[in-house]
Amino acid sequence: QKEVEQDPGPLSVPEGAIVSLNCTYSNSAFQYFMWYRQYSRKGPELLMYTYSSGNKEDGRFTAQVDKSSKYISLFIRDSQPSDSATYLCAMSHSGGSNYKLTFGKGTLLTVNP
Amino acid sequence: DSGVTQTPKHLITATGQRVTLRCSPRSGDLSVYWYQQSLDQGLQFLIQYYNGEERAKGNILERFSAQQFPDLHSELNLSSLELGDSALYFCASSVASGYYNEQFFGPGTRLTVL
């Protein structure tokens, strides 16, 4: 079993839809949870970062972490064609070994105008 | 633009050859990380350097090595290349090591081994 599982999609939605992206993980030592966005032929860029459990909102984006279920989500409201990209969840440990990011394989999202 | 630069953008080479990928971190960042992204494995951590010293190793093959120079730029050396080494190689940098801090990714080097 991989440490981080992510449905690769692809996911295709109409403009304005609410998008839900999810990851599950097996390592209970993960404390930091991130969502990266990667446009085609570009490097990943950080969208959201959450420490431990809870919700975090930033504009149209909401990140949720449920450590009891080892499940994290990213919601995109009022999705736009410019949101079309691959979304990668990433996690790291706390303490001295938390530099290494463990990524899901990514979900390819297409938002159709 | 993340501020992390990588050269070259594309590299095409043959099996058995050796290549060097270069990364310049953001100004002020002391940590450099190397990742490999392939279709079947996704984005995987290879190795981290902090201020010139190796700090952590991930799934890095023995044929691969890296170093960070006094000016903080880093090089990833890949030798005895195989077809399966074809992938995107990303460098990321962050301010420090030992606690969470955002990693900024470069644009990547696309390696094709023929």
Side-chain angles (χ1 to χ4, degrees), chain A residues 2 32 34 36 38 41-46 48-49 88 92-93 95-105, chain B residues 10 33 35 37 39-45 48 55-56 88 90 97-100 102-107 110:
Chain A
K2 287 184 73 72
Y32 298 90
M34 290 137 277
Y36 279 81
Q38 186 176 20
R41 300 185 180 278
K42 301 284 188 183
E45 56 177 335
L46 183 68
M48 304 278 291
Y49 141 67
L88 301 151
S92 64
H93 304 141
S97 62
N98 72 349
Y99 35 77
K100 166 192 167 183
L101 295 180
T102 301
F103 283 87
K105 282 195 174 182
Chain B
H10 303 279
Y33 312 78
Y35 292 85
Q37 187 174 39
L39 278 175
D40 50 339
Q41 295 295 324
L43 197 57
Q44 291 205 307
F45 170 74
Q48 181 210 1
R55 185 56 65 96
L88 269 169
F90 288 103
S97 173
Y99 53 90
Y100 173 75
E102 181 176 352
Q103 294 184 22
F104 294 85
F105 282 77
R110 183 175 294 275

Side-chain angles (χ1 to χ4, degrees), chain A residues 69-89:
Chain A
S69 302
K70 296 190 177 68
Y71 187 88
I72 72 170
S73 301
L74 177 71
F75 297 95
I76 307 174
R77 291 182 298 280
D78 188 25
S79 55
Q80 303 295 308
S82 58
D83 295 328
S84 298
T86 296
Y87 289 80
L88 301 151
C89 62

Side-chain angles (χ1 to χ4, degrees), chain B residues 10-14 85-87 110-114:
Chain B
H10 303 279
L11 204 47
I12 301 174
T13 188
D85 298 327
S86 296
R110 183 175 294 275
L111 174 65
T112 302
V113 182
L114 301 175

